[in-house]
Amino acid sequence: MMDAGRHPNIHLLTYAEVDEVSGYVGHFHVKVRQRPRYVDVNLCTGCGACAEACVFKKGVPNEFDAGLSRRRAAYVPMNGQAVPLKAVIDDKACLFLTRGKCTQACLEACPTRAIDFEQKEQIVELDVGAIVIATGFEMFDPRRLSAFSYGKSPDILDGLQFERLSSATGPTQGEILTSAGKKPERVAIIHCVGSRDANANRYCSRVCCMYALKHAHLVRDKTGAEVFEFYMDIRAFGKDYEEFYERVQEEGVYFVRGRGAEVQVREGGQLVVKAENTNLGIPVEVKVDMVILATAMEPQPDADKVAPIFGISRSASGFFQEAHPKLRPFHTNTDGVFLAGACQSPKDVPDTVAHASAAAAEVLSLFGRGEVIISPTTAQVITEKCVGCGDCVLVCPYSAISLVEGKSSVNAALCKGCGTCVATCPSGAIEALHFTDEQIVAQIEGVLAW
Amino acid sequence: MTETSLLAEIRQAVSESLDRLDGVIALRRSGTGVAPHLFQRGDDLSELVIEPKYPLMTVVSRLHKRFPEIRLGVVARGCDERAYVEMAKRNQIDPQRLTIIGFACTAEEAQECYCSQPYPQKLVVGQPAPAGPVNPLVAEYDALSREERFEFWRRQFVKCIKCYGCRNICPECFCEACAMEDAAWVEPGLLAPPFPTFHLIRAMHMASRCVACRECERTCPAHIPLTVLYDLMRRDMEALLGYVPGADIDAEPPLSVKLDKVPLRQDVGV
Amino acid sequence: MVEFEPRIVAFMCNWCSYAGADNAGVARLPSPPNILPIRVMCSGRVSPEMVLRAFRAGADGVLVMGCHLGDCHYDSGNHRTLKRMPLLRNLLGYVGINPERLRLVWVSASEGPRFAQVTTEFTEKIRQLGPLSAEVSHD
């Protein structure tokens, strides 16, 4: 990330969102909404003095620690590891920006006078030749499955929360502690929370088995606690993955083949996991000090709003749809728009690197050629027949048709060849190349000759 | 209002509007008969008539396209205005360059046309008459069995001489190339024209465009009751998609937009 | 007496229903040979003219098959199909052709069993209705 931040050809627009995309491959015009940081990035050194001085001491849940710690309204994101290393003021938390009442201690505290409450939102317009979407994922919210009692005890954690707990930059500097501040003696890890589940997501989230094994390994290593891992299958599909699974077994983790069905919070806060040990055919109940829910990766919650901005579609699971699941997993059906990483489907790091590198290579290849090869099965207007009624303009899902001097015109780079315009035109003034009405009628007559 | 005083008022309205327009389209009676005419400043308006009913919006459209700067007025009945709405929506008439001088049809005319709205919204002359009844043929039609329906249309369509009068007179049939003349869909050289393609292609095209002006039926030399079929389509268009052609210039063509803009109002069992 | 074998023209969209038919074939699920497939890229390509032409050319039944709503490979081509076909069905009924001879169904690429079921049911329905030529006399 730091390398990307330093590269002269990479221009980072942080705290920004794409509002609008128009154009087509090689000629996209993008409007980006740059939100105000209320910090002048040319002056800010990322020292964090504003955060220390911030009057809102109670703060809000820190997103970077998955809610396990709190931060103030002024802060340097990612626990001081942001790229670029600059502060930002959260305009939903800041007392001055929300209520107009604050001593604004941050203004004085900043050694370079970088804080600027006058900053406004800006629209940045960019002309680009290709777009790569790498918007990532969201963790499944276990509150949707009440059996796991998530939220009813501070010692029931989801996958990302445990990552933060065991991270050296996290809320406990990497020590695995229960909410009572002690090392746990018994930990349960439950697989497939929010995946492989008709009540949540049917798909397998691919990464959870391996990260659950990693969590088990970390617990054993750092605390020596007993670990019970409740699983349906162990999906250790990658290079050295099976070997790691064997190692974790040898480290003494108890693997119980049976979906963790329920987490109870009993009197005094005692956590109990109930499951069926399907190998033995008996129900089991285990009292533990900490439960880690191996939660699934899900599409970002705004994926349904983001997809139409780029003219792409989503799969049934909600992730952005690839052009072909096997042969073109990082292309979309919109030329010039590519997918990188978990926004397309759950992926771990090696898969994401491969996927993203492929998308980057495809962009380079596109630019290197300087030409786009398009499918010949596009629509074409027969200008003499067109009376400019505009129905075709309305039906095109790709906005590939426009009226030019009163007649329709198809942008062959945008046209995907669906033919809906052809069926809509009452004059037959648009034809579908290689799928013409005459060809189809010939087929109709041909099959009925039987 | 008597007919002559209605006419006098219309002529007066036309005369006043000619001060700011390049011309007004209306019917003119001359020695050879009645025909659409472009009345201009200084013309004798005593020859301006309003009968027989004729779809003048087609003339407006032709002039708008031929002369991109021309500013016109038109003497219009309710159906003319509805026709204008659907034509304007489809870029055939420029609303910025048209002044509608609307007048109300009489109660007798409303009955003759089975018209549900015998006056334009931009009403300048006359008082709205009550709506005419629904065509009794349409009213009986639902009770007919499938065989009876087929027999009804078989006897009607066999009379068709493919004069294309229905298409030629229809204000909404402004296409340069017509599907009914497209050899891909309609085999050429057959009389009576091929069933069901010839007649139903037109009916499907009319589904989102027919404004019930009745000109097709009035023109048909074989007296085929085409409006029965088109009234049934209009009824479906309203029930299924909530769309009435000619009612609202801002309503987008329902068959062309996505379901979130114009949803289906009935479960069609897919 | 030769038993009537329905001839059914089935317009199938390339990405969903045509792939669904393929899926049925690969899974060895029986589908009647009365179904005569015509591949189009999207069900939105199927115009009312095309359906009428199929009836005119001798089809006893017409199936229009596309992607489920929300799954259209071209985003919303099937929205237009969903609006056109019910209107056309009713219109057929108004001129005395049994509207059940035209059917719109959504079949996705993985729904081989659904393809087999829908085509079998539709063929039986048309067999019961009899040949179109018995309902109308072509001139």
Side-chain angles (χ1 to χ4, degrees):
Chain A
M1 193 64 206
M2 291 215 319
D3 288 345
R6 288 199 191 122
H7 198 289
N9 286 8
I10 298 177
H11 185 53
L12 285 179
L13 281 164
T14 50
Y15 220 44
E17 277 181 18
V18 171
D19 244 11
E20 207 180 288
V21 175
S22 59
Y24 54 99
V25 57
H27 307 271
F28 290 112
H29 187 76
V30 182
K31 286 193 182 146
V32 177
R33 185 179 301 271
Q34 172 95 65
R35 290 172 58 197
R37 277 177 181 257
Y38 306 102
V39 170
D40 184 340
V41 298
N42 296 316
L43 297 172
C44 175
T45 61
C47 69
C50 53
E52 278 192 41
C54 178
V55 169
F56 189 20
K57 297 212 180 330
K58 182 176 160 217
V60 293
N62 182 359
E63 305 88 344
F64 189 63
D65 277 338
L68 290 180
S69 64
R70 295 181 85 81
R71 59 157 177 84
R72 300 192 185 171
Y75 65 112
V76 179
M78 290 163 208
N79 295 2
Q81 295 172 100
V83 173
L85 190 63
K86 306 286 176 189
V88 63
I89 298 183
D90 179 353
D91 56 10
K92 296 200 177 44
C94 171
L95 295 174
F96 177 71
L97 290 169
T98 53
R99 293 185 229 167
K101 284 171 165 213
C102 186
T103 56
Q104 298 179 278
C106 50
L107 280 173
E108 287 295 312
C110 177
T112 56
R113 292 279 187 266
I115 303 217
D116 176 10
F117 284 105
E118 297 302 308
Q119 264 189 17
K120 297 269 175 285
E121 192 180 81
Q122 282 187 334
I123 304 287
V124 177
E125 297 202 31
L126 303 168
D127 286 309
V128 298
I131 296 172
V132 178
I133 300 179
T135 49
F137 66 95
E138 180 65 78
M139 285 259 90
F140 172 77
D141 181 352
R143 278 173 297 199
R144 282 159 57 187
L145 295 171
S146 54
F148 294 115
S149 302
Y150 183 77
K152 298 213 169 84
S153 159
D155 293 311
I156 302 175
L157 305 173
D158 75 16
L160 203 53
Q161 285 177 319
F162 187 79
E163 287 283 346
R164 296 310 303 151
L165 194 61
S166 63
S167 166
T169 61
T172 58
Q173 281 81 54
E175 287 220 53
I176 296 172
L177 302 171
T178 64
S179 58
K182 300 191 299 188
K183 289 189 179 174
E185 287 179 6
R186 275 179 146 202
V187 176
I189 302 179
I190 300 181
H191 286 224
C192 303
V193 175
S195 53
R196 303 184 68 189
D197 187 342
N199 296 319
N201 296 299
R202 297 200 103 104
Y203 56 81
C204 164
S205 182
R206 191 170 173 94
V207 306
C208 329
C209 277
M210 290 314 294
Y211 84 60
L213 290 176
K214 178 184 73 177
H215 288 349
H217 167 77
L218 284 169
V219 171
R220 292 291 293 154
D221 191 53
K222 291 187 174 185
T223 70
E226 282 187 313
V227 179
F228 294 87
E229 208 153 324
F230 296 90
Y231 70 98
M232 294 205 289
D233 301 282
I234 295 292
R235 293 179 166 182
F237 56 89
K239 187 167 184 176
D240 295 332
Y241 287 16
E242 180 68 17
E243 292 87 329
F244 183 68
Y245 172 38
E246 281 177 26
R247 174 175 163 190
V248 173
Q249 287 178 77
E250 281 157 19
E251 284 170 355
V253 170
Y254 298 113
F255 282 90
V256 179
R257 190 173 180 281
R259 190 168 205 162
E262 196 184 340
V263 176
Q264 290 179 344
V265 183
R266 292 199 184 152
E267 235 183 75
Q270 173 68 62
L271 297 175
V272 176
V273 174
K274 297 178 81 166
E276 183 195 349
N277 183 328
T278 59
N279 282 335
L280 299 176
I282 52 165
V284 296
E285 241 186 52
V286 185
K287 289 195 173 116
V288 294
D289 308 316
M290 181 185 279
V291 174
I292 303 171
L293 301 173
T295 39
M297 284 173 137
E298 280 190 323
Q300 290 275 18
D302 62 355
D304 60 337
K305 307 225 173 11
V306 170
I309 293 177
F310 296 95
I312 62 175
S313 29
R314 298 185 300 140
S315 310
S317 55
F319 290 97
F320 295 139
Q321 183 155 58
E322 63 287 330
H324 189 282
K326 289 190 179 182
L327 304 175
R328 305 180 83 214
F330 46 91
H331 295 78
T332 62
N333 284 315
T334 302
D335 279 342
V337 178
F338 304 98
L339 301 173
C343 64
Q344 180 256 341
S345 72
K347 283 188 189 57
D348 58 12
V349 173
D351 287 345
T352 299
V353 171
H355 198 243
S357 302
E362 193 64 35
V363 172
L364 288 174
S365 162
L366 181 69
F367 289 174
R369 272 200 304 273
E371 288 181 338
V372 180
I373 301 167
I374 57 178
S375 164
T377 54
T378 52
Q380 202 174 77
V381 178
I382 304 168
T383 321
E384 320 75 83
K385 291 190 179 182
C386 174
V387 285
C389 76
D391 271 343
C392 54
V393 176
L394 286 173
V395 299
C396 182
Y398 300 96
S399 308
I401 311 183
S402 51
L403 284 168
V404 175
E405 284 172 18
K407 302 270 187 176
S408 286
S409 170
V410 177
N411 179 332
L414 284 173
C415 173
K416 294 277 153 248
C418 71
T420 307
C421 57
V422 181
T424 299
C425 177
S427 313
I430 288 196
E431 56 179 358
L433 296 176
H434 306 288
F435 268 99
T436 63
D437 288 333
E438 288 78 12
Q439 286 172 314
I440 292 176
V441 170
Q443 283 184 59
I444 293 173
E445 290 182 324
V447 294
L448 285 169
W450 162 60
Chain B
M1 172 171 287
T2 66
E3 200 176 296
T4 44
S5 67
L6 179 78
L7 197 47
E9 278 202 40
I10 291 171
R11 287 175 183 155
Q12 177 62 25
V14 172
S15 167
E16 281 163 15
S17 66
L18 276 171
D19 289 338
R20 46 188 170 79
L21 295 171
D22 297 317
V24 173
I25 308 254
L27 293 171
R28 174 174 166 255
R29 163 165 284 123
S30 69
T32 48
V34 177
H37 184 78
L38 178 68
F39 288 94
Q40 292 173 295
R41 218 167 295 135
D43 280 358
D44 177 10
L45 294 178
S46 65
E47 294 177 320
L48 190 156
V49 292
I50 53 174
E51 288 197 332
K53 182 162 105 68
Y54 185 83
L56 291 171
M57 288 299 172
T58 312
V59 182
V60 171
S61 167
R62 298 236 172 87
L63 288 177
H64 266 193
K65 289 185 155 194
R66 180 86 171 75
F67 305 105
E69 303 295 318
I70 199 170
R71 307 187 67 82
L72 293 174
V74 65
V75 173
R77 296 173 185 265
C79 52
D80 290 311
E81 189 190 54
R82 297 197 295 274
Y84 148 78
V85 164
E86 290 303 311
M87 292 172 88
K89 213 174 275 196
R90 295 177 174 81
N91 309 312
Q92 304 304 304
I93 293 181
D94 182 357
Q96 305 294 334
R97 298 188 282 127
L98 184 66
T99 301
I100 292 179
I101 302 164
F103 71 94
C105 294
T106 64
E108 291 76 28
E109 285 169 331
Q111 282 183 352
E112 215 181 286
C113 281
Y114 304 116
C115 187
S116 58
Q117 198 202 309
Y119 55 90
Q121 288 180 14
K122 290 200 183 73
L123 185 60
V124 171
V125 176
Q127 292 301 312
V134 172
N135 186 339
L137 264 178
V138 174
E140 297 167 14
Y141 202 75
D142 294 320
L144 294 181
S145 74
R146 200 186 42 70
E147 289 84 1
E148 285 170 328
R149 290 176 182 186
F150 177 71
E151 190 51 31
F152 175 87
W153 288 110
R154 190 190 66 75
R155 293 221 243 122
Q156 294 298 339
F157 288 149
V158 79
K159 299 185 281 176
C160 174
I161 57 168
K162 255 175 117 180
C163 69
Y164 291 102
C166 52
R167 185 229 24 214
N168 291 345
I169 202 70
C170 176
E172 300 307 325
C173 278
F174 44 73
C175 292
E176 295 289 341
C178 178
M180 293 161 89
E181 288 179 298
D182 189 340
W185 308 126
V186 177
E187 302 117 281
L190 292 176
L191 266 185
F195 176 85
T197 38
F198 186 81
H199 315 279
L200 298 198
I201 286 174
R202 178 142 204 284
M204 278 303 292
H205 287 193
M206 285 298 107
S208 65
R209 297 168 180 224
C210 175
V211 294
C213 71
R214 314 307 190 188
E215 289 302 323
C216 49
E217 196 171 299
R218 285 155 46 91
T219 300
C220 177
H223 307 295
I224 298 171
L226 291 165
T227 61
V228 170
L229 199 55
Y230 303 155
D231 275 355
L232 291 164
M233 289 303 296
R234 282 163 53 87
R235 190 178 68 179
D236 279 346
M237 185 51 87
E238 189 166 7
L240 208 60
L241 291 163
Y243 186 80
V244 177
D248 181 2
I249 199 166
D250 295 317
E252 287 177 295
L255 295 174
S256 303
V257 295
K258 288 162 71 157
L259 286 166
D260 33 356
K261 276 203 173 175
V262 177
L264 281 176
R265 288 166 183 228
Q266 285 174 353
D267 177 18
V268 297
V270 177
Chain C
M1 156 100 167
V2 178
E3 206 190 288
F4 161 60
E5 276 302 329
R7 295 186 306 162
I8 295 164
V9 169
F11 294 101
M12 300 177 196
C13 78
N14 181 64
W15 303 96
C16 282
S17 41
Y18 195 73
D22 208 36
N23 187 271
V26 160
R28 301 272 189 273
L29 297 165
S31 236
N34 311 68
I35 300 291
L36 308 165
I38 307 259
R39 182 178 75 115
V40 290
M41 294 312 286
C42 178
S43 60
R45 177 75 182 86
V46 180
S47 58
E49 287 87 334
M50 215 177 270
V51 174
L52 289 169
R53 190 73 182 80
F55 280 122
R56 173 81 192 155
D60 301 300
V62 172
L63 256 184
V64 177
M65 307 174 92
C67 305
H68 289 271
L69 288 178
D71 291 346
C72 179
H73 185 85
Y74 303 100
D75 182 65
S76 52
N78 58 355
H79 286 213
R80 281 79 182 187
T81 325
L82 182 59
K83 293 187 186 191
R84 287 175 194 146
M85 293 302 139
L87 278 173
L88 182 55
R89 265 182 71 122
N90 286 359
L91 186 56
L92 290 172
Y94 293 144
V95 295
I97 297 176
N98 196 318
E100 292 186 278
R101 291 182 183 275
L102 171 61
R103 192 167 164 203
L104 175 64
V105 284
W106 308 134
V107 173
S108 81
S110 54
E111 286 181 316
R114 179 167 157 79
F115 177 85
Q117 184 201 352
V118 160
T119 49
T120 306
E121 276 173 10
F122 192 66
T123 306
E124 282 325 295
K125 162 113 276 171
I126 302 296
R127 197 187 299 278
Q128 280 168 29
L129 292 182
L132 180 61
S133 52
E135 267 180 25
V136 310
S137 55
H138 285 211
D139 34 0

